[in-house]
Amino acid sequence: MANHSYSVVNMHLVTLSYPGKISREELYKIKPVEFKIVKEFMKAKPLVDDEWKNMLIFGDNLVALRTLLEDDRVRQKVRLVYIDPPFGTGGIFRGRKHVSASIKDEVAYHDMPLSPQYLEFIRRRLIFLHDLLAENGSIYVHVDVSAVHYIKVIMDEIFGLESLANDIARVKCNPKNFERKAYGNIRDSILFYVKNYGKNVWNDPREPYTEEDIKRLFPKVDKDGRRYTTVPLHAPGETRNGPTGRPWRGLMPPSGRHWRYPPEFLDKLERMGLIEWSSTGNPRLKIYADEYIKKGKKMQDVWLNYKDPIYPNYPTEKNLEMVMKIVEASSNPGDIVLDAFCGSGTLAIAAEKLNRKWICMDISPLAIETTLRRILRLESYSPFVLINATGEELPERLRRAVEKA
């Protein structure tokens, strides 16, 4: 769970029931398909000389994921999954190069409405993604607020309630003034689960402090012009026999608390000028901004700075910096990262920039064409193959795009 201090009893008995929900055994009856290599692309040497090639897969992601489960290089080797699946809106999404889509724009994909069919569509893919993940792997599922509660219950079933790391609220756009008897909606959700809680790769991502942060958190200024704040020198819990429970400078720690440091270290802090005495005679530790902010600010579960691009390459395209932050947090260079609904290929771009191996797939020809175009525009990219997993010929437009590449 996001807060692992909560007590949980028999929550594994809570499941989502709806028509069309099949068993894992039935799901695995889906047969793998042939991965037909259409073309190989290379502009730089591979990350390591292990004959790996990144994969851009055109086809139904359900059968593509099932096929990858037969690949020893991939099964239980994927360190990170990030997916931004359809949101269950029932809408038609079109490709565009301007702020608002037009009916003249090419259709990118048809979204199914929020329904039992939609939930099962997501669930089946999540089961395969769970089985592809490494034991220390993580998955981020980007969903709309109208569907997130259902998807969370499904993920609890598949991954276990204890595997929920965060439900991240992401501000997606500027405030809206639509006429409705409710608050404006400016956020969506990212469900962050891990294969095994506590074992997942975690690189503790940080963000820089803003000037406003520094002024707010470090309101005091010393004689040299350095910003600082002060914090108590005591902490919760009594120490009866240890040195942190003894008097220092004639003072005992407050009732129910102990000194954070032994008396000899408190003396050292005093000599270094790092203790400030309040007007009531209480000692407090000085924390200087210029030293504290070097590490950066720990990221929280509300993300304000990763709004959708105004001029996307593809409808529903997500913020590249956000995806890069996720890749940095939950994988290491050389790891495999996977996106089963790649859209404009933002995960592939992030993976290339951060030296990760990648697998991306989509059933939309426009998505594959957009992803291919974005990758080929990079100054450098690792070897990758375009794979046709449909069992049919490429659509004419996609075939022409490949020929021109």
Side-chain angles (χ1 to χ4, degrees), residues 35 55-62 64-65 68 132 338-343 359-363 367-368:
F35 275 5
M55 303 180 211
L56 178 58
I57 304 171
F58 172 57
D60 181 351
N61 56 11
L62 187 65
L65 293 171
L68 287 173
L132 284 168
L338 185 152
D339 184 353
F341 300 86
C342 73
I359 302 171
C360 289
M361 60 190 72
D362 209 293
I363 199 169
I368 297 298

Side-chain angles (χ1 to χ4, degrees), residues 277-312:
W277 293 84
S278 72
S279 59
T280 57
N282 289 318
R284 293 177 65 86
L285 178 65
K286 291 182 179 179
I287 305 292
Y288 279 94
D290 53 6
E291 297 174 355
Y292 187 84
I293 67 174
K294 290 177 182 177
K295 191 177 180 181
K297 178 171 58 175
K298 184 175 179 65
M299 289 186 68
Q300 306 299 313
D301 61 2
V302 177
W303 292 2
L304 304 175
N305 303 317
Y306 302 114
K307 294 176 183 175
D308 292 336
I310 298 175
Y311 298 102

